[in-house]
Each structure stands twice: as C-alpha cells, then as structure tokens.
Amino acid sequence: MGEKLAWVQQFKIQPSRRPTASTLLHCAGVTLYNHIFLVLPASVAQWAWRPPVDLPDLAPSMQELIAGVIANLLLFDFQYFIWHLLHHRIRWLYVTFHAIHHNYSSPFALATQCLGGWELITVGFWTTLNPVILRCHLLTTWAFMVVHVYVSIEDHCGYDFPWSTSRLIPFGMYGGPSKHDVHHQKPNTNFAPHFSHWDRIFGTHADFSFCTAMK
C-alpha cells in the first residue's frame, strides 16, 4: 500500500526494498506455529499459575500509570540489551536461536514475530514478570503490554513517520524504527530494543547515516 501512496512512501527507510510473498508467508507460518505451540500453552499455564482476580477498586493515578509503563520499558530494555548482545557475540547462540530474526535486512511489521521459540519465551517471560517485580497496578500492566507491542511493531515497520516514538522523545534518547533498521543492516550495532543509552555506553550505537556511509 505504501508504494501506491507517495505521501506514505516518502517515509520508507529503504524505499527500494519490499518483502516478497514468500517472505510474508514464511513469517506468517513461524508466527502461527509459535502461537499455537508456545503462546497458547504458556497462556494456559499462566492462567493456572495466576488465576483471574477481581479488578482493584481504585485505578492508578495518571502519574503512577505513566511512571509504571516507563519503568517496565526501561527494565525490559536493560534485560533484552544484555540478551541481544550475547546472542550476537556468541556464535552458537546466534546460529541456534537468533539468526531466524535476521533473515531480513529490510524489516517489516510482521518480522516482529519472526522469532525462534527460545527468544519468544524469553521475551514473554520478562514482559510478564517485570510488572510483578515492579508491583504494578493491573491497569498499568495492561498499558505496558499495549505500548510494548506497539513500539516493537513500530521498530520493525520499515517506515520512520513524523509521529514515530523516536521523534516524539527528545535528545535522541529513544531508538525507534530508523535505528533498529540499522541493526538489521549492520547487526553489530543498536542492540537495545527501545532506548539508546545502553548502546551509547557500550559503543554499539549507530545512526542511519552510518549505514548510508557504508554503502
């Protein structure tokens, strides 16, 4: 659809690249397999482990909700940065678990879910456990889940729109789609899933201009 709408296409990060039908089918197949054999059983197990409870009488304040969502994103960012860095630096981990996600040097939204089982379980474990660790209100937990999924898809969508999260958060603190696109082109850069501070600290940060200069 983006190719047919010039206004949309101008925000395409790699305008000459697009997913093929076989690529989309492969991603859809991996996603379906993961959801049937991993996500569904894990959901049932979680339901048995933590049965549904009544909603709290009071909602969190807006300040508490926003702080809780940001805290969850920051904690996940730290966890996944370490996981991601190790799975790129240790070849056996990369080949065995993470390589499937790097089949695509030009990411697209569905590639968000093109993961091996180990990575999906790890990501799901942290996403579920972190609100418990931080003792978040149930509404804050739900809000975090929605935001977390949204920014993950945004990172892989292949478009850097004016309303992208990285453009709304100042001072380059947030990575966003353009920097994650760089990671898929130059896999030894930009390991953090959301923010940019860990990559800057460890010297793995790269802007989109880096990729342009390397071509």
Side-chain angles (χ1 to χ4, degrees):
M1 188 173 67
E3 291 184 342
K4 298 177 181 179
L5 301 174
W7 185 84
V8 174
Q9 186 66 8
Q10 67 178 313
F11 302 112
K12 187 83 164 65
I13 298 172
Q14 298 187 56
S16 62
R17 305 287 296 276
R18 61 168 296 172
T20 62
S22 61
T23 296
L24 293 172
L25 286 172
H26 174 258
C27 273
V30 171
T31 302
L32 183 63
Y33 176 90
N34 284 341
H35 278 71
I36 292 174
F37 294 103
L38 294 173
V39 175
L40 180 59
S43 299
V44 173
Q46 184 180 354
W47 175 83
W49 171 51
R50 299 181 66 198
V53 297
D54 293 333
L55 291 174
D57 293 330
L58 297 176
S61 67
M62 182 61 70
Q63 183 177 355
E64 289 171 336
L65 188 147
I66 293 173
V69 170
I70 293 174
N72 274 283
L73 289 172
L74 286 169
L75 179 56
F76 180 86
D77 203 64
F78 171 68
Q79 294 162 332
Y80 191 76
F81 174 82
I82 295 173
W83 187 100
H84 201 182
L85 183 66
L86 290 175
H87 280 68
H88 273 267
R89 296 295 168 82
I90 301 174
R91 179 168 177 75
W92 178 81
L93 290 176
Y94 180 83
V95 172
T96 307
F97 300 116
H98 189 55
I100 186 174
H101 188 64
H102 279 274
N103 284 340
Y104 319 106
S105 59
S106 178
F108 49 94
L110 192 57
T112 311
Q113 286 292 305
C114 197
L115 307 171
W118 164 245
E119 182 168 1
L120 183 65
I121 291 172
T122 307
V123 169
F125 177 75
W126 289 328
T127 303
T128 304
L129 184 64
N130 287 350
V132 178
I133 295 173
L134 297 173
R135 303 182 68 180
C136 292
H137 189 284
L138 189 57
L139 182 60
T140 303
T141 300
W142 290 346
F144 160 63
M145 299 286 187
V146 172
V147 172
H148 185 51
V149 170
Y150 171 79
V151 294
S152 296
I153 294 172
E154 180 189 64
D155 277 357
H156 290 87
C157 73
Y159 290 84
D160 192 5
F161 293 110
W163 56 83
S164 293
T165 309
S166 54
R167 295 182 179 272
L168 301 178
I169 298 177
F171 310 120
M173 293 188 296
Y174 195 86
S178 62
K179 290 183 182 175
H180 195 72
D181 202 282
V182 171
H183 172 71
H184 276 262
Q185 295 181 63
K186 304 294 178 183
N188 286 320
T189 64
N190 297 350
F191 294 107
H194 300 316
F195 299 92
S196 60
H197 55 279
W198 291 116
D199 282 302
R200 294 181 187 276
I201 291 171
F202 284 91
T204 54
H205 176 265
D207 288 311
F208 187 71
S209 56
F210 170 81
C211 255
T212 305
M214 292 291 290
K215 289 181 178 178

